[in-house]
Amino acid sequence: MARQLPLKPSARKWAASIIMIVAAALVVGVAARNADSGDSAGSDQPAHGASDLPSSAPAESASTAPAAPPVKQCDSPALGGPSAPPPDAVKVSAEQSLAEVVAAHPGKTTYWLAPGIHRLGKGAFTQVFPHARDKFIGAPGAVLDGGNENRYAFSGQAPDVTIKFLTVQNFGSSGDNNNEGVVNHDSASGWTVESSTIQKNAGAGVMLGSGNRLIGNCLRDNGQYGFNAYHAKGVMDVVLHGNEISGNNTDDWEGQKQGCGCTGGGKFWATNGARVTDNYVHDNRGVGLWADSNNVGFRFSGNYISANDAEGIMYETSYNAVILNNTLVRNALVKGPTNPDFPASAIYLSESGSDTRVGGPYAEAFRVSGNVFVDNWSGIVAWENADRFAGSPANTSTGVGTLVNPSIATVSKCAEKSMIKKQPFFDDCRWKTQNIVVDGNSFTTDASKIPSCSPSTGCGFNGLFSNYGTYPRWSPYKAEVVEKDITFEQNNVWRGNTYSGTWHFVVEETGNVITWDEWRSAPYGQDLGSSMN
């Protein structure tokens, strides 16, 4: 599923039709954003620009969603390195152990790996421990191969390491390295991985720490994730730009650990400040891009996200982001039919929104703008679980609290039955889906091109809803409390969008399906300034 085979003539026609649909949607989307209407999105462009982004982030991505994948890195000649070693570089032949060579040299050394298959030697935990500011550059055909024996390739806490033009593959065996990674195993800070192929490894191909840059790589066919951003102390200032991320989760960890939430193209945990731009994310066995648990200040823009088994972008129990000018095509077609009562969407916002108390960019409004949706199982779902709050046994992020008032609304205080009913705990113990603005997007669906797609199977929906609160017994959010809040009180707005095909909407509570006219009418009043073709 991960590798793209030559297209048959019929497939070429289908791909060409997608490009035509996206191109048409771009024209309509630009018109919608620029329309001179009080209900349009044109006057409310994202307020935050380059000054809000990591200082070393690449240039802004395109101002419109891509009509085709912006990059196809895998098997590209662009990933070939220099055929001769750079000046002052240490040449490493395929007969030498890179781990031993590095151990014998000081920091700030550049290593040039000659063409050929490089092995690290015997032992599951034989690995390379770089020094600070080391650089590893691969010649054309240089491959670091773990032979399915070595578990990790590059480890340790040394900062500011660079890896370029290198293929890293076959580290770990199937089922190894759950929630671990192969390159930058310990999530050290300041690493750059660029123009490299990271493939067929167990666990995550790359771990990301603070100040990491993942630029122009092929991350494919890894056992759990293409990348995983996690550090016990949190992660800050991460850039992913121009990568191809495909076919990951070959070990089907979600199948092995039901409900683990631990699979897909890549995942972020507690990351403050991430720039995810111009990537091609496709055919992953799970979510394409997933940010989970107290992430802040994210920008997803210019990405082409297609044919992932589950959602294309998922932002969960997190804050303050913008999802701008992405193209999402045929996502969640595998997950969608498995739960007809809850639409599996291309973009899923779960207990997430903007809050000025958290700080950082995008704190005033959580914008989902200028995106193009084509033949996904569903479009956008904004959801808030009534039973999930800090201190609740229904919170799957055990021991994690919110960020809005962390010194007062602690997990322990939120779990006190006598406190949770009072302010500020009643408000501040929840991750709220609030201040969402969905504008200037194009939603196209053709049910004839989506197997099993119909309203009865949960296909072709946008949604803004919660569940009837029941748990725990002492919860103050029982019954319709959160259903009413997310729908009417938390400043969530759809406007200035265009729709083509058959669309329905879920609002207030699960199973409450309404029509386009009902969605736009009182008491909901959504999608003013929008059009349905």
Side-chain angles (χ1 to χ4, degrees), residues 181-196:
V182 167
V183 174
N184 196 11
H185 173 267
D186 299 296
S187 302
S189 64
W191 282 43
T192 295
V193 181
E194 184 174 354
S195 301
S196 294

Side-chain angles (χ1 to χ4, degrees), residues 208-286:
L208 299 177
S210 292
N212 279 201
R213 303 290 182 260
L214 194 60
I215 300 174
N217 301 284
C218 168
L219 310 178
R220 67 179 173 190
D221 299 346
N222 295 290
Q224 187 175 6
Y225 303 111
F227 69 88
N228 189 13
Y230 173 80
H231 192 280
K233 295 181 179 180
V235 177
M236 297 182 66
D237 181 20
V238 172
V239 172
L240 283 79
H241 178 76
N243 303 284
E244 183 173 358
I245 304 169
S246 69
N248 297 290
N249 185 32
T250 58
D251 288 339
D252 187 20
W253 278 104
E254 205 75 39
Q256 296 187 49
K257 295 186 173 184
Q258 292 291 328
C260 71
C262 63
T263 58
K267 195 162 186 182
F268 302 88
W269 307 82
T271 298
N272 189 333
R275 175 79 179 280
V276 186
T277 59
D278 299 347
N279 300 286
Y280 180 27
V281 183
H282 64 98
D283 293 288
N284 294 287
R285 294 185 61 183

Side-chain angles (χ1 to χ4, degrees), residues 304-353:
Y304 194 99
I305 302 172
S306 66
N308 297 288
D309 284 2
E311 295 84 356
I313 297 175
M314 185 169 174
Y315 206 72
E316 180 179 4
T317 56
S318 295
Y319 302 90
N320 302 3
V322 63
I323 303 175
L324 176 68
N325 298 334
N326 303 280
T327 297
L328 299 106
V329 180
R330 298 184 69 80
N331 293 288
L333 302 194
V334 174
K335 179 180 179 179
T338 66
N339 186 4
D341 297 325
F342 196 107
S345 52
I347 294 178
Y348 180 27
L349 309 178
S350 177
E351 296 91 23
S352 295

Side-chain angles (χ1 to χ4, degrees), residues 354-403:
S354 286
D355 195 309
T356 56
R357 294 175 294 173
V358 177
Y362 322 122
E364 298 286 346
F366 191 120
R367 300 293 302 275
V368 184
S369 303
N371 302 288
V372 174
F373 298 79
V374 180
D375 291 344
N376 301 283
W377 189 256
S378 283
I380 298 173
V381 165
W383 152 264
E384 187 175 328
N385 184 343
D387 301 329
R388 186 178 189 181
F389 53 92
S392 168
N395 179 23
T396 53
S397 299
T398 306
V400 176
T402 65
L403 298 182

